Amino acid sequence: MAFNANRAPHKDKLNTGTMKKIRLLPFLLLLSCYSFSQEDTGDIPGKLKGNWKANGTAFGMPATITMSWAPVLQEKFYRLKYSMVMTGKDGNQTVFEGTAYYKQVTANTFTATWFDSQGSMHPITASSDATMLTSRWGTPETQQGKTTYQLIRNNDVQVTDYILKKDGTWSLFNQNTLTRD
C-alpha cells in the first residue's frame, strides 16, 4: 500500500463523520421545528375542544356546570357554550347559560363576543399561553370581568370568574373544575 500525503486515513474518517452530521442536521432542524410547533400556545381553544362537566357550586348554590368548545362557521370561530343549573335551598332551579364566539387574531390573542340568558352581551379580548386562556370581558360603562380557563390535567380545566371592583382589584365570584366528558 502506497502512502499518499494528500489523503491521510484519519482525514477520510473525519470527512465521513462530518458528512453524516451534515446530513443529519436538516432532520434535526425539522424535528425541532415540529417539536416547537407542537407547543404552539395559540391553540388553547383547540385544547379545550369538546364537552366538559362538573358538579360544583355557583353563587353559593350546588350546581351542575357544563361547557363545550367547538370550531364553527367553516372553522373561522370557536363557539363556547356554558351553562350552570343551580339548585336553591327551596329546591328550585335557576339556569344561567351563555355563548361566545372566539376568533383568533394572532398566535396568542383572540377577540370574542359573549351573549347570555340575562340579556347581557359583552365584548371579549383574550390571550393565551400553553395551558390557559384569559378572557377579559365587558366595558367600563357596564361592568368588567375576566374568566380564566386553566388546563390543569389532560382531562380537567379550572374555570375561574372575577369581577373588576371600583377600586381596580379583582374579586373572585365563581370557580369550578370541569372534567372532559
Side-chain angles (χ1 to χ4, degrees):
M1 176 183 251
F3 175 75
N4 183 342
N6 292 329
R7 190 168 176 191
H10 72 284
K11 188 174 180 183
D12 283 342
K13 288 182 184 175
L14 179 63
N15 286 342
T16 302
T18 301
M19 290 306 293
K20 285 181 182 177
K21 288 177 185 173
I22 289 172
R23 284 187 212 127
L24 188 58
L25 185 60
F27 174 73
L28 292 174
L29 287 172
L30 181 63
L31 184 62
S32 68
C33 289
Y34 175 77
S35 205
F36 179 74
S37 72
Q38 294 303 301
E39 296 174 13
D40 178 27
T41 60
D43 192 31
I44 194 74
K47 294 175 184 177
L48 291 169
K49 186 170 81 171
N51 298 312
W52 304 82
K53 187 174 183 177
N55 290 316
T57 59
F59 303 102
M61 294 180 276
T64 299
I65 299 102
T66 58
M67 176 177 74
S68 69
W69 287 84
V72 295
L73 303 172
Q74 301 296 313
E75 298 187 0
K76 301 288 190 256
F77 296 88
Y78 267 94
R79 181 184 59 220
L80 161 64
K81 293 173 88 177
Y82 192 82
S83 174
M84 296 185 297
V85 179
M86 300 161 278
T87 305
K89 290 180 183 179
D90 59 3
N92 289 331
Q93 291 188 330
T94 302
V95 177
F96 172 82
E97 56 189 354
T99 299
Y101 289 89
Y102 280 78
K103 179 177 177 67
Q104 190 163 5
V105 178
T106 67
N108 299 315
T109 63
F110 303 84
T111 186
T113 303
W114 170 265
F115 308 88
D116 67 39
S117 58
Q118 293 179 334
S120 297
M121 188 171 112
H122 298 296
I124 298 171
T125 57
S127 60
S128 67
D129 62 25
T131 62
M132 184 164 58
L133 177 69
T134 301
S135 298
R136 292 190 61 153
W137 48 266
T139 66
E141 296 77 32
T142 57
Q143 72 179 149
Q144 293 178 280
K146 73 177 173 180
T147 302
T148 59
Y149 305 88
Q150 174 76 50
L151 290 165
I152 52 177
R153 287 180 286 282
N154 283 341
N155 292 316
D156 291 329
V157 61
Q158 187 173 64
V159 179
T160 307
D161 296 302
Y162 303 89
I163 195 78
L164 185 61
K165 297 184 343 185
K166 289 183 183 188
D167 67 3
T169 61
W170 292 105
S171 177
L172 174 75
F173 72 87
N174 199 37
Q175 183 175 58
N176 283 284
T177 301
L178 289 78
T179 301
R180 190 184 303 273
D181 271 351

